[in-house]
Amino acid sequence: MPGEEAHFYTPRVSIGATTWYVATSPPKKRRVTINDVARKAGVNKGTVSRALRGMDGVGAETRARILAAAEELEYSASELGMALATGSTRTVGIVLPSLRSWYFSEVASGASDVLSNAGFRIELINLDIDSDFLQIDSEQFARLFRQLGAGRSRDALLFAGTTSIPEDGGRALVPVAAHGGPLATAPGVFVDHWEGGRLVAAHLTGLGHSALAMVDGRMLGKVDASIWEQRSAGFLAGVADSGLDPDTVRQLRPGDCRSADGEQIGKDLLASPDSLPSAVFCHSDELAFGLIASLRRGGVHCPQDISVAGFDDHPMAHLWDLTTVDQHAYAQGVRAAQALLGMLGLSSPDTEAQLPATERLSVELIIRDSTSPVLRSL
């Protein structure tokens, strides 16, 4: 009722029993400044600035007095003013090639958790490109980096993608995954895709499978396909280690690594049911999901008729009971963020020691019910 909040209203006209009010704003409080805090605490404003930013050079008693004064006066430092004074905005841009990929989202989630705990604000930057690789030696990429990083009030950029990164200013980019050896220009996290492929081959051949197929996830016309090449090379090496001829492995290339591509491979295999492999390694879990669904619709069941293994440990993999390789996407983001903090001269609050500049992240074979010993006669 207006009468209950009379201090927010000014009566204007009374007609009979009805009183009309118009809303008015309460008196504006003067904005509290750093000078007010300094006067309240009995120090100069430089000491207040250092205390509120957690810098050294301020005694414990003085710091406590300053914090108490700031709280009493309800003082909050201007982020813009802090940025101008320190050259830091406490903002990191996490660049994702696409928001539609679970992998990029998972990497971003791990990085965001670390950076948020370290006091950074996170900006997600969606490139919305249909690729998981950023060709860093191109002028297009260099221009993109300049556009994203320069004058955008960000302390750093973190790329959640399979890319190698050149040095630019010593702190701008941190790779999440790189291939072909450690980077010399920036710290990163390196995922051993070759070893993941080898682990799958050892598992399938250990179950007695010899009629093998591999579904290659590389995109047609893609400039860089190193992760797929490494997964393939590791798998074929594992087949050779088992005593089988790697040339007998059927290599199938649908043109991408999505569920729809796995479905198409399933249809192609069903067209020649007498030559079905007994086990299939898919370069991605999404390929495996589509393949299993397509084969099931055609009356071929997994693992009774065919064993299927994937790579990634997609969040849905356990619901499909899919045997797969866990590449620890969330941990990739965590470690990339920790490396970025190291580049900025900071430390992660949840890590006592800084990570080495190049640390290989171990992959792990997760065995579920989509693979089993050979159950059908070939």
Side-chain angles (χ1 to χ4, degrees):
M1 293 293 290
E4 296 175 353
E5 298 182 343
H7 59 290
F8 286 107
Y9 294 83
T10 302
R12 293 300 188 204
V13 181
S14 294
I15 303 177
T18 302
T19 301
W20 295 83
Y21 292 79
V22 294
T24 60
S25 299
K28 290 186 177 180
K29 294 174 61 178
R30 185 179 69 85
R31 180 176 175 273
V32 177
T33 69
I34 193 170
N35 288 322
D36 296 322
V37 178
R39 280 193 296 269
K40 182 76 173 176
V43 297
N44 62 52
K45 66 179 183 180
T47 303
V48 172
S49 178
R50 289 194 300 275
L52 295 180
R53 285 186 281 145
M55 297 177 65
D56 295 333
V58 182
E61 183 179 343
T62 302
R63 189 186 304 276
R65 189 167 70 251
I66 291 171
L67 294 176
E71 183 175 357
E72 182 179 342
L73 294 174
E74 297 181 354
Y75 171 76
S76 60
S78 162
E79 288 187 3
L80 177 58
M82 189 72 76
L84 292 174
T86 65
S88 172
T89 62
R90 305 295 291 183
T91 299
V92 172
I94 298 181
V95 184
L96 297 87
S98 171
L99 289 175
R100 293 184 292 273
S101 167
W102 74 271
Y103 167 75
F104 301 136
S105 297
E106 194 75 1
V107 171
S109 178
S112 179
D113 284 349
V114 171
L115 294 170
S116 295
N117 288 338
F120 282 86
R121 181 172 58 249
I122 307 303
E123 291 181 356
L124 294 181
I125 304 169
N126 177 28
L127 298 182
D128 198 24
I129 56 176
D130 191 21
S131 175
D132 61 355
F133 178 79
L134 303 173
Q135 189 179 355
I136 51 86
D137 57 355
S138 67
E139 173 55 31
Q140 180 182 11
F141 182 87
R143 184 168 59 251
L144 171 66
F145 165 65
R146 290 194 295 269
Q147 291 173 347
L148 293 176
R152 298 290 178 175
S153 298
R154 302 182 184 111
D155 291 337
L157 298 175
L158 187 153
F159 276 77
T162 51
T163 177
S164 58
I165 303 296
E167 186 176 16
D168 192 315
R171 67 172 191 166
L173 298 171
V174 174
V176 171
H179 317 291
L183 295 180
T185 56
V189 176
F190 300 86
V191 181
D192 198 339
H193 297 276
W194 188 94
E195 175 62 11
R198 189 200 67 78
L199 287 172
V200 173
H203 172 64
L204 294 178
T205 57
L207 293 173
H209 294 282
S210 57
L212 302 169
M214 177 171 59
V215 184
D216 192 316
R218 77 187 67 198
M219 187 184 300
L220 295 176
K222 199 172 185 179
V223 176
D224 185 274
S226 58
I227 65 168
W228 313 117
E229 291 170 355
Q230 290 191 20
R231 292 179 187 185
S232 293
F235 183 77
L236 295 176
V239 170
D241 288 345
S242 73
L244 297 175
D245 183 357
D247 290 338
T248 63
V249 176
R250 293 173 61 181
Q251 299 192 40
L252 311 169
R253 296 186 178 180
D256 208 339
C257 59
R258 310 301 181 189
S259 295
D261 304 291
E263 287 187 87
Q264 184 57 53
I265 289 297
K267 293 176 183 178
D268 294 343
L269 290 176
L270 288 169
S272 303
D274 293 336
S275 60
L276 277 177
S278 68
V280 180
F281 166 48
C282 295
H283 270 180
S284 76
D285 288 352
E286 290 189 32
L287 279 170
F289 298 157
L291 173 63
I292 292 172
S294 181
L295 292 175
R296 183 183 299 153
R297 288 193 291 268
V300 176
H301 298 282
C302 171
Q304 296 91 331
D305 302 311
I306 189 170
S307 287
V308 177
F311 197 118
D312 286 333
D313 202 25
H314 187 288
M316 297 292 290
H318 73 286
L319 297 177
W320 285 77
D321 279 333
L322 181 66
T323 293
T324 185
V325 175
D326 187 355
Q327 63 168 312
H328 307 290
Y330 179 88
Q332 289 182 42
V334 167
R335 295 187 180 203
Q338 291 171 344
L340 185 147
L341 290 176
M343 295 175 78
L344 296 177
L346 304 172
S347 60
S348 172
D350 54 2
T351 299
E352 292 183 1
Q354 288 299 309
L355 291 171
T358 55
E359 177 164 334
R360 188 167 295 278
L361 190 64
S362 298
V363 294
E364 180 182 3
L365 181 67
I366 308 296
I367 300 175
R368 299 191 179 101
D369 290 340
S370 67
T371 53
S372 70
V374 179
L375 297 177
R376 62 181 175 86
S377 57
L378 300 176

Short mmCIF file of all heavy atoms in Angstrom, two decimals, residues 258-291:
data_model
loop_
_atom_site.label_atom_id
_atom_site.label_comp_id
_atom_site.label_asym_id
_atom_site.label_seq_id
_atom_site.Cartn_x
_atom_site.Cartn_y
_atom_site.Cartn_z
N ARG A 258 30.76 -37.42 -36.27
CA ARG A 258 29.51 -37.27 -35.56
C ARG A 258 28.69 -38.56 -35.57
O ARG A 258 28.99 -39.51 -36.29
CB ARG A 258 28.68 -36.13 -36.16
CG ARG A 258 29.43 -34.82 -36.35
CD ARG A 258 29.96 -34.29 -35.06
NE ARG A 258 30.67 -33.03 -35.22
CZ ARG A 258 31.38 -32.44 -34.28
NH1 ARG A 258 31.50 -33.00 -33.10
NH2 ARG A 258 32.00 -31.30 -34.52
N SER A 259 27.60 -38.56 -34.81
CA SER A 259 26.74 -39.75 -34.73
C SER A 259 26.17 -40.12 -36.09
O SER A 259 26.07 -41.31 -36.44
CB SER A 259 25.61 -39.50 -33.73
OG SER A 259 26.11 -39.33 -32.43
N ALA A 260 25.78 -39.11 -36.86
CA ALA A 260 25.22 -39.38 -38.19
C ALA A 260 26.21 -40.11 -39.08
O ALA A 260 25.82 -40.96 -39.90
CB ALA A 260 24.77 -38.07 -38.84
N ASP A 261 27.49 -39.81 -38.94
CA ASP A 261 28.51 -40.48 -39.74
C ASP A 261 28.66 -41.94 -39.30
O ASP A 261 28.87 -42.82 -40.13
CB ASP A 261 29.84 -39.75 -39.58
CG ASP A 261 29.73 -38.28 -39.95
OD1 ASP A 261 29.54 -37.99 -41.14
OD2 ASP A 261 29.79 -37.43 -39.04
N GLY A 262 28.53 -42.19 -38.00
CA GLY A 262 28.55 -43.56 -37.52
C GLY A 262 27.35 -44.35 -38.02
O GLY A 262 27.47 -45.54 -38.36
N GLU A 263 26.21 -43.69 -38.08
CA GLU A 263 25.01 -44.35 -38.61
C GLU A 263 25.22 -44.77 -40.06
O GLU A 263 24.81 -45.87 -40.48
CB GLU A 263 23.81 -43.42 -38.52
CG GLU A 263 23.27 -43.22 -37.11
CD GLU A 263 22.00 -42.42 -37.12
OE1 GLU A 263 20.91 -43.02 -37.29
OE2 GLU A 263 22.07 -41.18 -36.98
N GLN A 264 25.84 -43.90 -40.86
CA GLN A 264 26.06 -44.22 -42.27
C GLN A 264 27.00 -45.41 -42.41
O GLN A 264 26.79 -46.29 -43.26
CB GLN A 264 26.64 -43.01 -42.99
CG GLN A 264 26.81 -43.22 -44.49
CD GLN A 264 25.51 -43.61 -45.17
OE1 GLN A 264 24.50 -42.93 -45.03
NE2 GLN A 264 25.53 -44.73 -45.90
N ILE A 265 28.03 -45.45 -41.57
CA ILE A 265 28.94 -46.60 -41.61
C ILE A 265 28.19 -47.88 -41.28
O ILE A 265 28.42 -48.94 -41.88
CB ILE A 265 30.11 -46.39 -40.62
CG1 ILE A 265 31.05 -45.30 -41.14
CG2 ILE A 265 30.87 -47.68 -40.38
CD1 ILE A 265 31.73 -45.62 -42.46
N GLY A 266 27.27 -47.80 -40.30
CA GLY A 266 26.46 -48.98 -39.95
C GLY A 266 25.65 -49.47 -41.14
O GLY A 266 25.57 -50.69 -41.40
N LYS A 267 25.06 -48.54 -41.86
CA LYS A 267 24.28 -48.92 -43.04
C LYS A 267 25.17 -49.57 -44.10
O LYS A 267 24.78 -50.55 -44.75
CB LYS A 267 23.59 -47.69 -43.63
CG LYS A 267 22.51 -47.09 -42.73
CD LYS A 267 21.95 -45.81 -43.34
CE LYS A 267 20.92 -45.16 -42.41
NZ LYS A 267 20.41 -43.88 -42.97
N ASP A 268 26.37 -49.01 -44.27
CA ASP A 268 27.29 -49.58 -45.25
C ASP A 268 27.70 -51.00 -44.86
O ASP A 268 27.78 -51.90 -45.73
CB ASP A 268 28.54 -48.70 -45.37
CG ASP A 268 28.24 -47.32 -45.95
OD1 ASP A 268 27.15 -47.15 -46.54
OD2 ASP A 268 29.08 -46.41 -45.77
N LEU A 269 27.95 -51.23 -43.58
CA LEU A 269 28.33 -52.57 -43.13
C LEU A 269 27.18 -53.56 -43.29
O LEU A 269 27.39 -54.72 -43.65
CB LEU A 269 28.79 -52.52 -41.67
CG LEU A 269 30.12 -51.81 -41.39
CD1 LEU A 269 30.38 -51.76 -39.89
CD2 LEU A 269 31.28 -52.53 -42.09
N LEU A 270 25.97 -53.09 -43.01
CA LEU A 270 24.81 -53.97 -43.12
C LEU A 270 24.52 -54.38 -44.56
O LEU A 270 23.86 -55.39 -44.81
CB LEU A 270 23.58 -53.28 -42.53
CG LEU A 270 23.55 -53.16 -41.00
CD1 LEU A 270 22.43 -52.23 -40.56
CD2 LEU A 270 23.41 -54.52 -40.35
N ALA A 271 25.03 -53.58 -45.50
CA ALA A 271 24.82 -53.92 -46.92
C ALA A 271 25.58 -55.19 -47.30
O ALA A 271 25.23 -55.83 -48.30
CB ALA A 271 25.27 -52.75 -47.79
N SER A 272 26.59 -55.55 -46.51
CA SER A 272 27.34 -56.80 -46.76
C SER A 272 27.44 -57.56 -45.45
O SER A 272 28.53 -57.66 -44.84
CB SER A 272 28.73 -56.49 -47.31
OG SER A 272 28.67 -55.74 -48.49
N PRO A 273 26.33 -58.13 -44.97
CA PRO A 273 26.32 -58.76 -43.64
C PRO A 273 27.27 -59.94 -43.51
O PRO A 273 27.72 -60.25 -42.40
CB PRO A 273 24.86 -59.20 -43.49
CG PRO A 273 24.33 -59.30 -44.89
CD PRO A 273 25.03 -58.24 -45.66
N ASP A 274 27.62 -60.58 -44.62
CA ASP A 274 28.51 -61.75 -44.54
C ASP A 274 29.95 -61.35 -44.26
O ASP A 274 30.77 -62.21 -43.90
CB ASP A 274 28.44 -62.55 -45.85
CG ASP A 274 27.08 -63.19 -46.07
OD1 ASP A 274 26.38 -63.41 -45.05
OD2 ASP A 274 26.73 -63.46 -47.23
N SER A 275 30.28 -60.07 -44.43
CA SER A 275 31.66 -59.64 -44.22
C SER A 275 31.77 -58.66 -43.05
O SER A 275 32.69 -57.85 -43.01
CB SER A 275 32.20 -58.96 -45.49
OG SER A 275 31.41 -57.83 -45.83
N LEU A 276 30.84 -58.77 -42.11
CA LEU A 276 30.90 -57.90 -40.94
C LEU A 276 32.17 -58.18 -40.13
O LEU A 276 32.51 -59.35 -39.90
CB LEU A 276 29.69 -58.12 -40.03
CG LEU A 276 28.38 -57.41 -40.37
CD1 LEU A 276 27.29 -57.84 -39.40
CD2 LEU A 276 28.57 -55.88 -40.30
N PRO A 277 32.86 -57.16 -39.67
CA PRO A 277 33.99 -57.38 -38.75
C PRO A 277 33.45 -57.86 -37.41
O PRO A 277 32.27 -57.68 -37.09
CB PRO A 277 34.62 -55.98 -38.63
CG PRO A 277 33.51 -55.04 -38.91
CD PRO A 277 32.63 -55.72 -39.93
N SER A 278 34.30 -58.46 -36.61
CA SER A 278 33.85 -58.89 -35.28
C SER A 278 34.02 -57.79 -34.25
O SER A 278 33.41 -57.83 -33.18
CB SER A 278 34.60 -60.15 -34.83
OG SER A 278 35.97 -59.84 -34.58
N ALA A 279 34.86 -56.79 -34.57
CA ALA A 279 35.08 -55.69 -33.66
C ALA A 279 35.43 -54.43 -34.45
O ALA A 279 36.11 -54.50 -35.47
CB ALA A 279 36.19 -56.00 -32.66
N VAL A 280 34.98 -53.28 -33.94
CA VAL A 280 35.21 -52.00 -34.61
C VAL A 280 35.74 -50.98 -33.60
O VAL A 280 35.19 -50.85 -32.50
CB VAL A 280 33.92 -51.45 -35.25
CG1 VAL A 280 34.20 -50.11 -35.95
CG2 VAL A 280 33.32 -52.45 -36.22
N PHE A 281 36.79 -50.28 -33.99
CA PHE A 281 37.29 -49.16 -33.21
C PHE A 281 36.86 -47.87 -33.88
O PHE A 281 37.18 -47.63 -35.05
CB PHE A 281 38.81 -49.21 -33.11
CG PHE A 281 39.45 -47.93 -32.61
CD1 PHE A 281 38.97 -47.28 -31.48
CD2 PHE A 281 40.54 -47.38 -33.27
CE1 PHE A 281 39.55 -46.10 -31.01
CE2 PHE A 281 41.14 -46.21 -32.81
CZ PHE A 281 40.64 -45.57 -31.68
N CYS A 282 36.11 -47.04 -33.17
CA CYS A 282 35.66 -45.75 -33.70
C CYS A 282 36.53 -44.64 -33.12
O CYS A 282 36.80 -44.61 -31.92
CB CYS A 282 34.19 -45.50 -33.33
SG CYS A 282 33.03 -46.66 -34.07
N HIS A 283 36.91 -43.72 -33.96
CA HIS A 283 37.76 -42.61 -33.53
C HIS A 283 37.10 -41.70 -32.50
O HIS A 283 37.80 -40.95 -31.82
CB HIS A 283 38.16 -41.76 -34.74
CG HIS A 283 39.42 -42.21 -35.39
ND1 HIS A 283 39.95 -41.59 -36.49
CD2 HIS A 283 40.27 -43.24 -35.10
CE1 HIS A 283 41.07 -42.20 -36.85
NE2 HIS A 283 41.29 -43.20 -36.02
N SER A 284 35.79 -41.73 -32.41
CA SER A 284 35.09 -40.92 -31.41
C SER A 284 33.91 -41.71 -30.86
O SER A 284 33.38 -42.61 -31.52
CB SER A 284 34.61 -39.60 -32.00
OG SER A 284 33.46 -39.79 -32.81
N ASP A 285 33.49 -41.36 -29.65
CA ASP A 285 32.33 -42.01 -29.05
C ASP A 285 31.06 -41.72 -29.85
O ASP A 285 30.18 -42.56 -29.96
CB ASP A 285 32.14 -41.53 -27.61
CG ASP A 285 33.19 -42.09 -26.67
OD1 ASP A 285 33.97 -42.97 -27.09
OD2 ASP A 285 33.23 -41.65 -25.50
N GLU A 286 30.96 -40.50 -30.39
CA GLU A 286 29.76 -40.17 -31.16
C GLU A 286 29.64 -41.06 -32.38
O GLU A 286 28.53 -41.47 -32.75
CB GLU A 286 29.78 -38.69 -31.54
CG GLU A 286 29.59 -37.75 -30.35
CD GLU A 286 29.40 -36.31 -30.76
OE1 GLU A 286 28.82 -36.07 -31.83
OE2 GLU A 286 29.84 -35.42 -30.02
N LEU A 287 30.75 -41.35 -33.04
CA LEU A 287 30.73 -42.32 -34.14
C LEU A 287 30.22 -43.66 -33.66
O LEU A 287 29.39 -44.31 -34.34
CB LEU A 287 32.14 -42.48 -34.72
CG LEU A 287 32.64 -41.43 -35.71
CD1 LEU A 287 34.13 -41.63 -35.98
CD2 LEU A 287 31.85 -41.49 -37.02
N ALA A 288 30.68 -44.08 -32.49
CA ALA A 288 30.27 -45.37 -31.94
C ALA A 288 28.78 -45.39 -31.63
O ALA A 288 28.09 -46.39 -31.87
CB ALA A 288 31.08 -45.69 -30.69
N PHE A 289 28.25 -44.29 -31.08
CA PHE A 289 26.82 -44.22 -30.77
C PHE A 289 26.00 -44.45 -32.05
O PHE A 289 25.05 -45.23 -32.06
CB PHE A 289 26.44 -42.85 -30.19
CG PHE A 289 27.12 -42.50 -28.89
CD1 PHE A 289 27.27 -41.18 -28.51
CD2 PHE A 289 27.62 -43.49 -28.04
CE1 PHE A 289 27.89 -40.84 -27.31
CE2 PHE A 289 28.24 -43.17 -26.85
CZ PHE A 289 28.38 -41.83 -26.48
N GLY A 290 26.36 -43.72 -33.10
CA GLY A 290 25.61 -43.85 -34.35
C GLY A 290 25.74 -45.23 -34.96
O GLY A 290 24.77 -45.79 -35.48
N LEU A 291 26.96 -45.80 -34.90
CA LEU A 291 27.19 -47.14 -35.45
C LEU A 291 26.36 -48.18 -34.73
O LEU A 291 25.68 -49.01 -35.35
CB LEU A 291 28.68 -47.48 -35.36
CG LEU A 291 29.07 -48.90 -35.75
CD1 LEU A 291 28.75 -49.18 -37.20
CD2 LEU A 291 30.56 -49.15 -35.47
#
